[in-house]
Amino acid sequence: MDINTSNLFELTHKQVFFFDLDGTIYLGNKLFKGVLELIEVLRTKKKKFFFLSNNSSKSTEDYIKKLNKFDLNITRNNLILSQHPTIEYLKKNDFKKVFLLGTQSLKNEFKKEGFELTEDNPEILVLAFDQELTYERLEKAAYILQKEEFPYIATHLDNRCPTENGYIPDAGGIAALLYKATERMPKVFGKPNKEMLLFKLDQLSISPKNAVMFGDRLYTDIKMGREAGVTTCCVLSGEITIEMIKNSIFKPDFIINGIWVLLDEFNKT
Ligand SMILES: [Mg+2]
């Protein structure tokens, strides 16, 4: 297998650093070692850095609050969440009445963005990581999806989300459940859609070659990075093992045990 575990210093020369969150920067409520120091180093060296997450169970505001509880001191400009391209799509296509399978936190963000949330006469169904899902809501969603070609989109389709105690069903799991009843699958926006990275690099006028994506998932983080043309680095602190990498078609350029290894590399320079 042609995977680099040495020459990690190359990564310290990148201009843009994209980081997955769950499993890469923290697990549940536990920040990985070295993260605060790493962010300080990136700031000092004037590197651009962004945290990406498909986890749409939280609004952008709540996500910033969560991250800043870890003393990361980040702003909206450091965040790329799966609801951002989703909301952009709804606005571009003039959808206003939305049936949102999402948490109250996400509902608040949608309302703030000007959408009317309704079960009665929606123009589109938006599926997110709804950790407050009830069977009644599933039932209603299933009925709506049986209307012919009813518009149906999802913020992301991760199958499962890692937590301190194990995996829990994510948006992909909920979509699978609805698929069993309706045979409908949504159009998807978050990772592994390469636009999650490319729109930001476009804004910065920086080539993908000068960027690196760190993540713990092959079928989202690494796939997206490869398709966007950025360097990819898989961390083993989340859901992936070396064995899984060997068996996957989405091979990262680099593998490290955790994000603290990047800090060690910077400290050597
Ligand atoms: Mg992850």
Side-chain angles (χ1 to χ4, degrees):
M1 190 174 53
D2 187 23
I3 288 179
N4 255 326
T5 46
S6 55
N7 299 329
L8 288 170
F9 66 91
E10 268 180 42
L11 297 179
T12 62
H13 296 156
K14 300 290 180 185
Q15 282 176 274
V16 181
F17 293 76
F18 292 111
F19 299 105
D20 165 57
L21 283 167
D22 291 307
T24 301
I25 295 295
Y26 54 72
L27 202 53
N29 290 317
K30 196 173 157 283
L31 195 68
F32 288 124
K33 64 181 175 184
V35 171
L36 294 181
E37 296 93 320
L38 174 63
I39 297 306
E40 256 334 286
V41 168
L42 293 175
R43 283 201 173 106
T44 307
K45 294 190 179 289
K46 304 254 185 293
K47 306 283 191 185
K48 306 275 184 203
F49 60 92
F50 303 96
F51 298 106
L52 282 91
S53 182
N54 270 359
N55 186 337
S56 56
S57 68
K58 281 188 174 55
S59 69
T60 306
E61 226 167 84
D62 285 342
Y63 235 110
I64 292 170
K65 275 186 207 154
K66 170 171 175 151
L67 293 178
N68 286 343
K69 268 192 197 147
F70 294 128
D71 294 323
L72 290 173
N73 293 321
I74 62 137
T75 68
R76 186 170 276 263
N77 294 332
N78 297 112
L79 258 194
I80 306 175
L81 301 177
S82 65
Q83 62 259 41
H84 297 164
T86 308
I87 286 172
E88 197 170 296
Y89 172 87
L90 291 171
K91 287 184 174 174
K92 263 192 192 152
N93 291 281
D94 216 22
F95 287 108
K96 294 199 172 64
K97 295 179 177 183
V98 176
F99 186 123
L100 177 61
L101 282 179
T103 59
Q104 192 55 50
S105 176
L106 189 68
K107 284 176 184 164
N108 293 342
E109 179 164 2
F110 270 65
K111 281 187 215 158
K112 239 186 200 169
E113 294 286 345
F115 298 105
E116 181 190 332
L117 301 183
T118 175
E119 289 180 344
D120 296 331
N121 215 353
E123 296 160 347
I124 188 165
L125 195 147
V126 179
L127 171 74
F129 184 7
D130 189 354
Q131 291 183 291
E132 294 155 15
L133 184 67
T134 63
Y135 196 84
E136 191 196 346
R137 293 277 286 166
L138 265 179
E139 244 179 58
K140 284 180 180 158
Y143 293 140
I144 286 170
L145 290 180
Q146 286 166 71
K147 291 183 190 168
E148 205 176 338
E149 290 184 33
F150 190 83
Y152 178 30
I153 64 175
T155 53
H156 66 296
L157 276 191
D158 294 19
N159 293 326
R160 57 189 195 170
C161 178
T163 73
E164 283 151 292
N165 300 319
Y167 298 110
I168 55 174
D170 204 320
I174 301 171
L177 218 151
L178 283 169
Y179 176 79
K180 292 284 184 185
T182 66
E183 296 188 346
R184 295 281 316 274
M185 282 301 277
K187 174 182 171 65
V188 189
F189 290 89
K191 298 183 281 186
N193 192 331
K194 65 184 177 184
E195 291 307 320
M196 285 274 278
L197 302 179
L198 291 180
F199 89 94
K200 192 51 77 179
L201 291 171
D202 269 0
Q203 280 175 5
L204 298 168
S205 301
I206 292 176
S207 157
K209 271 185 279 179
N210 294 323
V212 53
M213 171 76 210
F214 292 86
D216 70 317
R217 275 192 181 154
L218 300 172
Y219 70 93
T220 57
D221 303 318
I222 303 306
K223 178 174 191 253
M224 171 181 65
R226 292 189 64 98
E227 286 177 2
V230 310
T231 299
T232 53
C233 183
C234 189
V235 294
L236 299 176
S237 51
E239 73 168 58
I240 289 299
T241 61
I242 288 274
E243 220 29 62
M244 289 158 90
I245 296 172
K246 282 181 186 162
N247 294 325
S248 172
I249 53 166
F250 307 116
K251 301 264 195 288
D253 298 304
F254 294 89
I255 305 171
I256 57 178
N257 283 326
I259 205 66
W260 52 89
V261 177
L262 178 62
L263 175 68
D264 294 343
E265 284 303 316
F266 272 113
N267 286 340
K268 284 183 203 163
T269 59

